[in-house]
Amino acid sequence: MCAFRALFLLRIVLRYLMCERELLRKARQNAAMDTAEMNTFDDYAPYSRYYGMERDMVGPAAELLRWMRQDVTCVAMLERICSLTVADRNVPAAVAVHERLRAYVTTFYPMQPEGNDLALAAVMMHCLPAAVSQLESLGVPNNVIEATLRDFAIWARVHQERTGRPGIDETAWNLLSLTGNILRIGRLQYELTTFLEPYYVYRCSNDGRIVIFAAPDLQVRLDGHWQGANGWHTKTGFVTALKADESTLVGNPVDTDRGIIQAEPITIRRDEYDLVLAPGMPVTSVHIPEDGPLSPDAVDASFAKATQLLARLHRQAMPWFCESWLLDPSLERLSSPESNLCNFMRRFVKFPVASARPMMIERVFGWGANDCQTAALPERTSLQRNLKRFLLAGNAVYDVGGLML
């Protein structure tokens, strides 16, 4: 009996080893095929077209990729990342493998810090043919594919500003662009996602008025923001409640103009309101690329085109969900009420979110500004001057969530 069990286990081990060997063989074969395909292109053209890569990045990133494709361990990880990202759209798993690949490259690639800086660039060069093919098969127009993938250039510029070297970080965000789950359509980006914020959104069936209730048991400061927002905790505050019976709903409402939770509960009749959004329901998340003005015409055109294209791709469009510093009502005290920023902010009904650090500081003053003393912040633009005065006066800015329904 023991001999039979040992033989059975031996067969399982041998079968596993044979499968692993076959996977490595296919990985080497695919890498060789990808290299042959890439060599039929001009070295620079495809990466400039789709990623907006500069020449000073393409050369060293391609050299790193060639080194990776000659290393069995790297080949297996490259193939795994490509499969997880493009075929499975499992970005968290792909990020986990990429971090192991980056660590391997940092240890064994002779050119450092180049290997660490360019690991993600090399991975995205490797994945480009499969990603473009996948997006085309989904019916995404070529101009949308190019616009979506060129977000790479924004984050390459950010890396250059932060480090002074060519490279790219923000692994999860950049791999997301290869999945087809996020598309840039005109001025804005649209990502199919799940609403996870702790709010219940109702619309009045009579006049269309929107009422947002906070979920129960949220710890809220007296200023209406979550405990911990901007890293601040206070000893005073309140805890939200939400109670429903057959005819009424009682809870803490959100001031949707100011984006804060109110301490005083309200009551609505359930037969007069429809629940239009709750945690766990699908939404389309709207992102704002950092590469141009937010003119009302450009934003209107983007929303209109997105509605049409997403419907054609059999995807949900509205409700639009956004979380950004660009939804902070304080912008009306920092910029003209008729400015592009304020016009965009007013499109959304707003609610507070649990952000530990407001994005506005670094977006307005530059990377690293959160670590500077307020008095030392630059004043090169009117927005910088107004925001600096606002902060020195003891005021605060926030990341804010919003919806268009």
Side-chain angles (χ1 to χ4, degrees):
M1 190 69 175
C2 290
F4 176 78
R5 180 177 297 174
L7 180 60
F8 178 73
L9 291 174
L10 179 61
R11 287 178 176 173
I12 291 176
V13 170
L14 288 173
R15 185 176 299 173
Y16 172 80
L17 291 174
M18 290 175 67
C19 289
E20 287 291 296
R21 184 177 178 181
E22 179 64 14
L23 283 172
L24 284 175
R25 185 189 68 79
K26 288 183 177 179
R28 291 193 195 98
Q29 185 180 40
N30 290 339
M33 291 173 63
D34 286 345
T35 302
E37 289 175 3
M38 186 172 296
N39 288 338
T40 64
F41 290 101
D42 177 83
D43 285 342
Y44 175 65
Y47 310 120
S48 172
R49 174 186 173 187
Y50 287 105
Y51 290 148
M53 290 179 74
E54 300 290 344
R55 289 184 180 274
D56 63 349
M57 178 184 286
V58 171
E63 185 61 34
L64 172 58
L65 181 56
R66 279 190 286 270
W67 178 86
M68 288 179 173
R69 285 174 165 171
Q70 294 169 1
D71 184 284
V72 173
T73 302
C74 286
V75 167
M77 287 192 277
L78 281 171
E79 289 302 306
R80 185 64 175 150
I81 293 168
C82 189
S83 175
L84 286 168
T85 303
V86 178
D88 301 341
R89 304 186 190 183
N90 188 345
V91 172
V95 169
V97 179
H98 178 268
E99 291 311 307
R100 275 66 176 181
L101 175 61
R102 186 195 291 270
Y104 184 90
V105 168
T106 302
T107 301
F108 293 103
Y109 188 61
M111 302 293 290
Q112 296 298 337
E114 201 169 83
N116 183 68
D117 290 337
L118 294 172
L120 180 58
V123 166
M124 294 187 69
M125 291 170 75
H126 176 79
C127 295
L128 180 60
V132 172
S133 176
Q134 171 81 346
L135 289 166
E136 288 175 341
S137 71
L138 294 172
V140 180
N142 286 331
N143 65 319
V144 174
I145 294 174
E146 292 183 18
T148 298
L149 296 181
R150 284 180 71 89
D151 201 58
F152 178 103
I154 295 175
W155 294 103
R157 184 173 67 249
V158 168
H159 185 279
Q160 182 77 38
E161 292 172 356
R162 286 174 169 174
T163 68
R165 304 185 300 270
I168 191 167
D169 288 310
E170 304 294 336
T171 304
W173 177 257
N174 281 291
L175 290 181
L176 178 65
S177 69
L178 303 176
T179 65
N181 284 347
I182 187 169
L183 299 173
R184 178 161 184 177
I185 306 169
R187 181 63 185 87
L188 304 171
Q189 295 162 313
Y190 300 87
E191 177 191 4
L192 180 60
T193 187
T194 303
F195 187 68
L196 298 176
E197 300 296 333
Y199 298 101
Y200 294 86
V201 183
Y202 286 82
R203 178 188 282 122
C204 180
S205 54
N206 295 322
D207 58 17
R209 184 167 62 97
I210 299 297
V211 175
I212 301 179
F213 284 100
D217 301 320
L218 299 182
Q219 303 286 331
V220 183
R221 301 192 306 242
L222 291 180
D223 63 3
H225 290 280
W226 293 30
Q227 292 284 3
N230 285 11
W232 300 338
H233 293 266
T234 62
K235 294 181 179 179
T236 56
F238 60 94
V239 179
T240 59
L242 185 62
K243 297 181 179 179
D245 58 30
E246 291 185 359
S247 60
T248 62
L249 186 66
V250 182
N252 296 96
V254 173
D255 182 329
T256 58
D257 290 325
R258 296 189 294 162
I260 58 175
I261 301 171
Q262 297 180 305
E264 188 69 26
I266 65 168
T267 301
I268 63 171
R269 290 187 55 84
R270 297 184 68 181
D271 60 356
E272 296 177 355
Y273 285 81
D274 299 313
L275 179 63
V276 294
L277 188 62
M281 293 176 66
V283 291
T284 298
S285 185
V286 177
H287 303 275
I288 308 101
E290 190 184 300
D291 64 353
L294 275 175
S295 70
D297 288 345
V299 173
D300 287 341
S302 179
F303 280 130
K305 291 177 182 177
T307 300
Q308 294 174 356
L309 177 58
L310 294 176
R312 197 159 74 242
L313 297 175
H314 306 291
R315 302 188 188 187
Q316 174 177 310
M318 297 183 77
W320 309 121
F321 161 69
C322 185
E323 180 180 333
S324 175
W325 66 274
L326 289 165
L327 302 191
D328 187 345
S330 298
L331 285 169
E332 290 195 324
R333 300 173 63 183
L334 306 173
S335 183
S336 164
E338 300 309 313
S339 67
N340 290 342
L341 297 181
C342 291
N343 274 311
F344 184 81
M345 178 268 295
R346 285 194 295 268
R347 292 172 184 265
F348 295 82
V349 293
K350 290 170 276 294
F351 51 82
V353 296
S355 175
R357 283 183 125 181
M359 291 187 291
M360 188 184 297
I361 307 298
E362 287 196 336
R363 293 298 190 271
V364 173
F365 294 109
W367 298 105
N370 273 322
D371 299 321
C372 295
Q373 295 293 322
T374 303
L377 293 171
E379 300 182 40
R380 291 185 291 270
T381 68
S382 60
L383 183 59
Q384 287 179 342
R385 291 189 292 272
N386 293 340
L387 177 54
K388 183 175 178 178
R389 283 196 294 268
F390 187 74
L391 296 172
L392 287 172
N395 300 299
V397 292
Y398 292 89
D399 294 343
V400 176
L403 295 164
M404 289 176 59
L405 300 160

